[in-house]
């Protein structure tokens, strides 16, 4: 039996241009997406809801990646930015 399906399990809508990269949080509860629309976004995997819209890059965002413990996420285009995901 094949697990392949052409029907997506979820569709996360929000980016205004193509998505270049996605990365799962180490917990598996969140996914981050980097886009040519100059933003990266954080999504809840279970609900497909956008949790965070991070603006600030002046050009396309090519990559996004979580630190091993999930406390930080980094995004980059021609420059580099890091964001803390923990709340106090």
């Amino acid at each position: 039996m094949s697990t392949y399906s052409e029907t997506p399990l979820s569709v996360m809508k929000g980016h205004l241009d193509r998505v270049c990269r996605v990365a799962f949080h180490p917990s598996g509860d969140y996914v981050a997406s980097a886009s040519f629309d100059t933003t990266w976004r954080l999504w809840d995997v279970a609900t497909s809801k956008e949790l965070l819209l991070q603006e600030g890059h002046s050009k396309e965002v090519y990559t996004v990646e979580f630190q091993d413990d999930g406390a930080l996420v980094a995004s980059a285009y021609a420059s580099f930015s890091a964001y803390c995901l923990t709340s106090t």
Side-chain angles (χ1 to χ4, degrees), residues 10-82:
S10 178
V11 176
M12 299 172 179
K13 294 185 179 183
H15 285 294
L16 303 176
D17 207 335
R18 76 175 154 168
V19 173
C20 304
R21 169 103 170 135
V22 296
F24 280 89
H25 186 271
S27 70
D29 295 332
Y30 311 103
V31 65
S33 56
S35 173
F36 272 31
D37 68 5
T38 72
T39 70
W40 70 266
R41 296 169 192 249
L42 184 68
W43 309 86
D44 183 294
V45 170
T47 65
S48 300
K49 299 291 183 190
E50 180 185 295
L51 301 175
L52 175 70
L53 164 60
Q54 186 63 55
E55 300 173 302
H57 287 287
S58 60
K59 296 189 178 190
E60 299 89 352
V61 183
Y62 290 105
T63 190
V64 63
E65 191 64 50
F66 290 98
Q67 182 175 327
D68 288 342
D69 67 2
L72 294 173
V73 64
S75 61
Y77 70 107
S79 70
F80 170 80
S81 300

